[in-house]
Amino acid sequence: MPRWLRHGLSWALAVGLLALAWFDTSEPATTPGPGDDWLGLVFLVVLATAALVVGLVTLLRDWERIGPVPALSRSVVLFALLLVLLTAALSLSREWGVHIPACRVVAGVERCGGEATAREVLSMLGWNAADVVPALDIPASFTWSRPARSDDALVGACLVLVRLWVVVGVLGVLRRLWDRWSTLGRRAGDQEPTP
């Protein structure tokens, strides 16, 4: 299978899964109930996250062989898959008592209450990813208020994972590309004949 087709299918899968989470209209469970399969879910989430991390490490190790644009694109696809995975895990974790309230800004004051939908959980992860670069202050620039928040340790761990992924997986690849392009620019400048 050609590389461009494999990569196109990866993008289609990531965008399709993000769309499923975004357009999920099911109401979240309001009363937590005991789940019998929680250990299996935790195992699957840890296994899938480990596979994504291995993919990222492989990408960071072989990015020069892959090429700059495909490396950045793959990094973003892996990040999108991580967002989908964490959205599904956090949405399902409410059955075991994880509380993620939805937040709205009313008259300039943030008010949180009621369970967040899958869309609001995905938006919360995206908001935290966008908030990683303090110099850009993306949420404030677009007047994007925090869609949900939680004091639960599981949610906090997921948010740290998202923030680390942006720093290492996306910004790290961009920095490597910048270093490579600036090195190539210096070499080209050194090879020019002086008048």
Side-chain angles (χ1 to χ4, degrees), residues 63-78:
W63 74 275
E64 285 186 347
R65 183 185 57 79
I66 296 169
V69 174
L72 184 59
S73 182
R74 286 182 189 181
S75 174
V76 173
V77 166
L78 289 172

Side-chain angles (χ1 to χ4, degrees), residues 41-169:
L41 175 68
V42 168
F43 178 73
L44 285 175
V45 168
V46 168
L47 186 64
T49 304
L52 289 172
V53 168
V54 167
L56 179 64
V57 168
T58 303
L59 173 73
L60 291 173
R61 191 184 61 216
D62 297 337
W63 74 275
E64 285 186 347
R65 183 185 57 79
I66 296 169
V69 174
L72 184 59
S73 182
R74 286 182 189 181
S75 174
V76 173
V77 166
L78 289 172
F79 177 67
L81 291 174
L82 178 74
L83 287 180
V84 169
L85 174 70
L86 294 180
T87 298
L90 289 176
S91 295
L92 292 173
S93 70
R94 288 181 281 213
E95 293 180 17
W96 305 298
V98 175
H99 181 60
I100 306 172
C103 298
R104 311 257 185 286
V105 175
V106 179
V109 177
E110 183 181 62
R111 301 189 190 273
C112 298
E115 285 295 319
T117 63
R119 175 188 283 189
E120 290 163 335
V121 171
L122 178 62
S123 294
M124 174 186 68
L125 295 171
W127 187 93
N128 278 278
D131 193 43
V132 168
V133 187
L136 297 179
D137 201 9
I138 295 171
S141 299
F142 291 100
T143 61
W144 183 11
S145 61
R146 187 186 314 253
R149 67 170 58 230
S150 178
D151 294 333
D152 196 277
L154 177 64
V155 177
C158 290
L159 295 179
V160 167
L161 181 61
V162 165
R163 287 172 169 266
L164 277 172
W165 196 283
V166 170
V167 169
V168 174

